[in-house]
Amino acid sequence: MGKVTREHLDLDICIFREDIKDALRYFDDWDIKVAVPGENRLVDYEQFSDLTLPRYCLHLFRDNDFIEILLSERMEDQVLFRKNKNITMHINDFGLRDCVERPYVNLVWQLMFKSLSPRDKDTEDFYNYLIVMNDQQKLLLSNGIRMMKPDSAWLVKLEA
């Protein structure tokens, strides 16, 4: 958005699953844990098979630093939404760059995840971005939310 809207406590890195070996080599000197979906626990990363689906999230620790790596799936030039594979985004729309060329994941994609179980800070993010979203972004977000959570309060605001 070109400005700080709130403080963030960590850094999330989103990479495609096929690139995980390169990331693991890069973070070789970090302590790597794998999140076990639905169990709210971490296990030590020991071998590549520890990262098979449905696992998608790694927590990396070194001294006082913490990084979260989120693994994304893609099929050719389409990125697949983890919670509903019927929701896709073209790879060129998924990975964007800000005014100083820093890469980031499309905010619409991030808000789709946040919409499923929004915390106060997620709702704050939604309202901050809503005022700068264009009609196409609103449509993409509302279509995705409608497929996953048709009773979301965010839909009313998106359609206003």
Side-chain angles (χ1 to χ4, degrees):
M1 292 183 55
K3 64 181 181 179
V4 175
T5 58
R6 68 174 173 87
E7 293 299 318
H8 291 75
L9 301 176
D10 65 348
L11 174 67
D12 297 349
I13 298 175
C14 186
I15 64 170
F16 294 113
R17 189 171 291 276
E18 65 261 24
D19 298 324
I20 188 59
K21 288 183 180 179
D22 292 329
L24 291 170
R25 277 193 294 278
Y26 184 83
F27 291 105
D28 185 49
D29 59 337
W30 290 62
D31 182 27
I32 302 174
K33 307 282 185 186
V34 181
V36 180
E39 296 184 21
N40 199 25
R41 68 183 178 99
L42 300 173
V43 296
D44 290 333
Y45 169 77
E46 295 176 357
Q47 57 192 2
F48 193 68
S49 63
D50 292 338
L51 303 177
T52 56
L53 286 170
R55 294 180 178 181
Y56 64 89
C57 181
L58 290 86
H59 289 215
L60 289 74
F61 304 90
R62 185 178 66 187
D63 301 324
N64 293 326
D65 295 322
F66 170 69
I67 295 174
E68 186 173 18
I69 294 180
L70 303 169
L71 302 176
S72 291
E73 313 301 320
R74 70 175 170 168
M75 185 176 297
E76 297 174 8
D77 62 355
Q78 296 293 314
V79 180
L80 308 176
F81 193 72
R82 182 178 350 100
K83 300 289 186 174
N84 184 329
K85 303 290 191 246
N86 293 316
I87 300 170
T88 64
M89 181 178 280
H90 192 276
I91 195 167
N92 293 339
D93 296 325
F94 176 77
L96 304 175
R97 293 193 176 269
D98 68 11
C99 61
V100 292
E101 294 299 309
R102 290 175 297 209
Y104 68 95
V105 172
N106 190 316
L107 295 174
V108 169
W109 195 260
Q110 294 177 20
L111 287 173
M112 269 195 260
F113 278 103
K114 292 171 177 263
S115 73
L116 298 174
S117 236
R119 303 162 293 183
D120 289 343
K121 65 182 179 179
D122 300 326
T123 299
E124 179 183 345
D125 290 344
F126 169 73
Y127 282 113
N128 281 327
Y129 192 50
L130 181 63
I131 59 176
V132 299
M133 289 173 69
N134 63 37
D135 289 342
Q136 180 184 3
Q137 292 166 322
K138 288 179 184 178
L139 181 62
L140 180 60
L141 182 56
S142 62
N143 286 344
I145 293 173
R146 194 175 291 104
M147 290 175 71
M148 297 180 300
K149 191 173 180 181
D151 62 340
S152 171
W154 290 11
L155 285 173
V156 175
K157 298 296 183 185
L158 284 164
E159 295 165 355

